[in-house]
Amino acid sequence: QVQLVESGGGLVQPGGSLRLSCAASGSIFSIMGWYRQAPGKQRELVATITSRGSTNYADSVKGRFTISRDNAKNTVYLQMNSLKPEDTAVYYCNARRLAAITDYWGQGTQVTVSS
């Protein structure tokens, strides 16, 4: 029915960059975004983007991360630059359709920032 598949995670040195991708099945989602969860911490918002292109970012990633989407491919991306060790977490893709309360989640992709 609905599947969200993330890719692009990995190990990178501080100051480096990674680009995450999340390909969703089915029809277009009104809002897509990225959340992350570090060991021992709550899952937190990283960034969201609407189907029209409006974005929202967590304060901790503003100026460093950029979220984008390709509606034709039903795919959302997260370009992560100037990565810091505190960015280390499992990153989860999230998607929601217009006027829906239900969220869909990807399996997650590990991002590790370490020298």
Side-chain angles (χ1 to χ4, degrees):
Q1 295 178 347
V2 175
Q3 294 184 21
L4 279 65
V5 181
E6 302 106 330
S7 63
L11 175 65
V12 65
Q13 293 184 334
S17 298
L18 285 174
R19 180 177 171 86
L20 305 183
S21 299
C22 174
S25 63
S27 59
I28 192 170
F29 291 89
S30 178
I31 302 175
M32 301 184 75
W34 293 92
Y35 293 72
R36 67 187 182 187
Q37 187 166 22
K41 295 186 177 181
Q42 297 269 66
R43 186 174 297 186
E44 64 177 358
L45 168 73
V46 176
T48 61
I49 184 168
T50 70
S51 60
R52 297 176 179 174
S54 297
T55 58
N56 181 50
Y57 295 92
D59 289 340
S60 60
V61 306
K62 286 181 179 178
R64 299 189 298 119
F65 291 10
T66 302
I67 189 170
S68 61
R69 65 187 288 171
D70 185 334
N71 290 339
K73 296 180 179 180
N74 213 10
T75 299
V76 63
Y77 307 92
L78 185 68
Q79 179 66 46
M80 304 184 294
N81 299 325
S82 302
L83 283 162
K84 304 175 181 179
E86 49 263 45
D87 294 319
T88 296
V90 177
Y91 284 69
Y92 296 92
C93 182
N94 173 267
R96 180 189 300 170
R97 292 200 168 93
L98 182 64
I101 192 67
T102 301
D103 286 56
Y104 297 94
W105 294 91
Q107 188 174 7
T109 184
Q110 177 71 47
V111 172
T112 302
V113 184
S114 180
S115 59

